[in-house]
Amino acid sequence: MPPSTMSALRPISRLFTRHYSAPAEGAIPAAKQKYVPTSGTYPQGFSVSGVHVGVKPSNKSKPDLAFITSDRPANAAAVFTQNKFQAAPVQVSRSVLEARQGAGIRSIIINSGCANAVTGNGGLEDARAMASAATSALDNTATSPPDSNQPASLVMSTGVIGQRLPIDRILNGIPKAASELSSSHSSWLSTAKAIMTTDTFPKLLSTTYTLPSFPNTTFSLAGMTKGAGMIHPNMATLLGIMCTDAPIAPAALKSLLTSAVGKSFNSISIDGDTSTNDTVAILANGAATAKSSTRLVPSQQISSESSEDYAALLSTLTTFSQQLAQLVVRDGEGATKFIAVKVTNAPTDKDAHAVASSVARSPLVKTALYGRDANWGRVLCAVGYTAPELLSGREDVIVPERMSVSFVPTAESASKSEGVLKLLVNGEPQAVDEARAARLLEDEDLEIVVDLGGSGKGEATVWTCDFSHEYVTINGDYRT
């Protein structure tokens, strides 16, 4: 057989090289650099580190073990995945929080590279060993409650499902992580890098805020998250960690987090898949108001949901959580666009969220946006097949004759001066200027507004991204 014929018969997979947006060793794509902070204001009493232990043999140098610690017992809350196959770290962290009633938490230990999910009793033992080793690495003389037989650490894992952790590498690396703890910006950034998998950039934010009852105190809030695929609201999205130095009681902290997650991590979608490991946690250690590193005094904690402090905290935490969650969408696997789907004039906020979520997870909508095609019929189709059980049961939630759909340029849009592109008004299709549509869809950011035309005031926004060729490539190659 001639050489030319032999070449033609070679497997197709050998004739091309796959390219996708996951970074090379330590590299951050130029287009994503703007999302990486160069400085930050971090909460008092917290120290962090991100070190390399080699969870995956192919990882030769990138940090893959994150350690987040408080110098005093902190109150904690978390929300977890609703997936029936809940990973071992999810089960262990939940049991720690329940046993300690949300108090006396000193740290969170996190590995990337292996999810420790669907790993049986051995996986549970590994997760418990991580939590215990993290607790032992700290000075726990002030840890509370003292009679708890649970470790004072939460544990998280992310990566490939169905494989056991290289637990010896992790346990041997925890003392190293403890020795490198620091409150510096570079340490927070290294820690954010340590929880990355297919992420192309570390997702880290920090801010300051004040509360009515503490007019002379400036509080800080820092957070990091990871996620680029397997993202759809069913609690939260992969991993998120927030820390604040405000004195917040456990019950109030859980309520604040649950409310904030509903409008942030539960309002994003990349591909419609939910994870076995989803966890978003928050630690509050009160260090800004109590300088000694002792147990938080209940009478000095914010506990009333009707207080001005609670309202201020909810506003701050919700906005901050939204900003963190939006970074996940901006780093969607293979994504080229960031899209806000806003639904208005629904009977309830829940109805609006269900409709927005239906549009946000539609592969046909997402591929059209990737192709810069103003195919608004796909938006209407997704609205129309919104699962009835997710709506309020009213027959008039979705009435085609009342609906209006528009593409709205954002403040950063190069074509914002050309105004809103109306596609459907009260059920009547509009004459679409395709040239205008093409210019609008050149932009990275876009808002799709679906007005249900009802008398209700319900509204919601879900953030999503487009589907590109790279999404298939990344997930086709994920384990190899």
Side-chain angles (χ1 to χ4, degrees):
M1 187 177 292
S4 59
T5 304
M6 291 285 289
S7 176
L9 292 177
R10 284 183 298 172
I12 292 176
S13 61
R14 298 180 183 178
L15 299 181
F16 66 89
T17 301
R18 294 181 174 185
H19 298 281
Y20 56 87
S21 55
E25 196 78 12
I28 297 173
K32 307 294 186 181
Q33 288 283 357
K34 60 187 176 183
Y35 302 120
V36 181
T38 56
S39 63
T41 304
Y42 300 102
Q44 299 178 50
F46 287 97
S47 296
V48 300
S49 66
V51 300
H52 170 261
V53 299
V55 174
K56 294 178 71 173
S58 59
N59 175 19
K60 302 302 182 183
S61 63
K62 291 190 292 186
D64 54 3
L65 185 67
F67 201 16
I68 299 159
T69 72
S70 172
D71 67 358
R72 66 202 69 200
N75 292 333
V79 284
F80 301 100
T81 180
Q82 295 179 20
N83 194 299
K84 293 296 184 183
F85 286 96
Q86 298 195 346
V90 168
Q91 298 178 57
V92 170
S93 292
R94 180 185 283 112
S95 66
V96 168
L97 287 172
E98 289 176 352
R100 291 183 167 275
Q101 298 181 326
I105 302 299
R106 290 294 309 281
S107 69
I108 304 175
I109 187 74
I110 311 163
N111 76 273
S112 62
C114 179
N116 192 12
V118 198
T119 48
N121 288 329
L124 287 170
E125 292 173 2
D126 291 343
R128 293 189 190 103
M130 284 179 64
S132 295
T135 302
S136 298
L138 302 174
D139 175 11
N140 289 289
T141 55
T143 296
S144 60
D147 57 343
S148 175
N149 60 2
Q150 290 282 358
S153 299
L154 305 183
V155 59
M156 302 181 189
S157 298
T158 181
V160 177
I161 295 171
Q163 296 181 0
R164 287 286 298 274
L165 290 170
I167 191 62
D168 289 342
R169 294 181 193 172
I170 293 173
L171 297 181
N172 291 335
I174 288 176
K176 177 185 177 183
S179 70
E180 297 188 15
L181 288 168
S182 168
S183 59
S184 69
H185 170 70
S186 61
S187 290
W188 279 89
L189 196 59
S190 294
T191 307
K193 290 178 180 178
I195 64 175
M196 292 168 55
T197 51
T198 58
D199 307 63
T200 68
F201 66 93
K203 300 165 185 64
L204 172 68
L205 293 175
S206 63
T207 190
T208 59
Y209 61 97
T210 58
L211 296 173
S213 296
F214 304 87
N216 299 318
T217 302
T218 298
F219 298 98
S220 296
L221 172 64
M224 64 186 72
T225 187
K226 65 83 53 189
M230 210 174 190
I231 309 292
H232 187 70
N234 193 18
M235 180 294 299
T237 303
L238 293 182
L239 305 184
I241 305 96
M242 291 178 282
C243 302
T244 185
D245 47 18
I248 311 171
L253 194 62
K254 180 62 182 291
S255 174
L256 287 163
L257 180 64
T258 301
S259 296
V261 162
K263 294 185 177 180
S264 57
F265 289 99
N266 261 354
S267 293
I268 62 175
S269 184
I270 288 177
D271 49 20
D273 273 320
T274 62
S275 170
T276 54
N277 292 57
D278 293 346
T279 304
V280 172
I282 185 169
L283 301 180
N285 68 4
T289 56
K291 301 305 179 184
S292 61
S293 55
T294 57
R295 184 176 178 179
L296 285 168
V297 178
S299 62
Q300 298 174 353
Q301 299 175 32
I302 298 165
S303 59
S304 174
E305 295 186 17
S306 61
S307 69
E308 291 184 344
D309 289 336
Y310 184 94
L313 277 166
L314 181 58
S315 176
T316 296
L317 189 61
T318 299
T319 299
F320 188 81
S321 298
Q322 288 175 340
Q323 293 170 343
L324 268 180
Q326 288 169 20
L327 289 177
V328 173
V329 176
R330 291 194 179 279
D331 200 23
E333 290 172 341
T336 68
K337 296 191 181 301
F338 176 84
I339 303 137
V341 181
K342 182 177 182 179
V343 175
T344 63
N345 294 317
T348 66
D349 290 348
K350 179 177 178 289
D351 293 325
H353 189 277
V355 173
S357 181
S358 184
V359 175
R361 70 174 183 267
S362 165
L364 290 179
V365 171
K366 293 154 77 71
T367 50
L369 293 170
Y370 172 65
R372 299 168 186 170
D373 178 9
N375 194 340
W376 53 270
R378 294 182 177 182
V379 176
L380 294 182
C381 181
V383 171
Y385 66 56
T386 301
E389 64 269 18
L390 298 179
L391 301 174
S392 59
R394 293 175 49 175
E395 294 293 329
D396 61 346
V397 173
I398 299 171
V399 179
E401 293 77 17
R402 293 197 315 228
M403 278 187 52
S404 298
V405 177
S406 301
F407 284 176
V408 180
T410 66
E412 296 76 25
S413 172
S415 62
K416 62 182 178 182
S417 62
E418 298 183 58
V420 174
L421 180 65
K422 295 182 178 181
L423 306 169
L424 184 78
V425 176
N426 296 325
E428 293 294 327
Q430 304 299 292
V432 177
D433 182 341
E434 294 294 343
R436 163 64 181 132
R439 289 192 295 273
L440 182 57
L441 294 176
E442 285 287 331
D443 295 320
E444 178 181 348
D445 290 15
L446 174 70
E447 183 176 57
I448 299 175
V449 177
V450 177
D451 183 348
L452 296 182
S455 58
K457 301 299 182 182
E459 64 177 48
T461 300
V462 173
W463 295 276
T464 190
C465 58
D466 57 347
F467 261 164
S468 71
H469 302 87
E470 290 189 21
Y471 178 84
V472 176
T473 299
I474 292 169
N475 284 283
D477 285 350
Y478 185 64
R479 291 205 310 161
T480 55

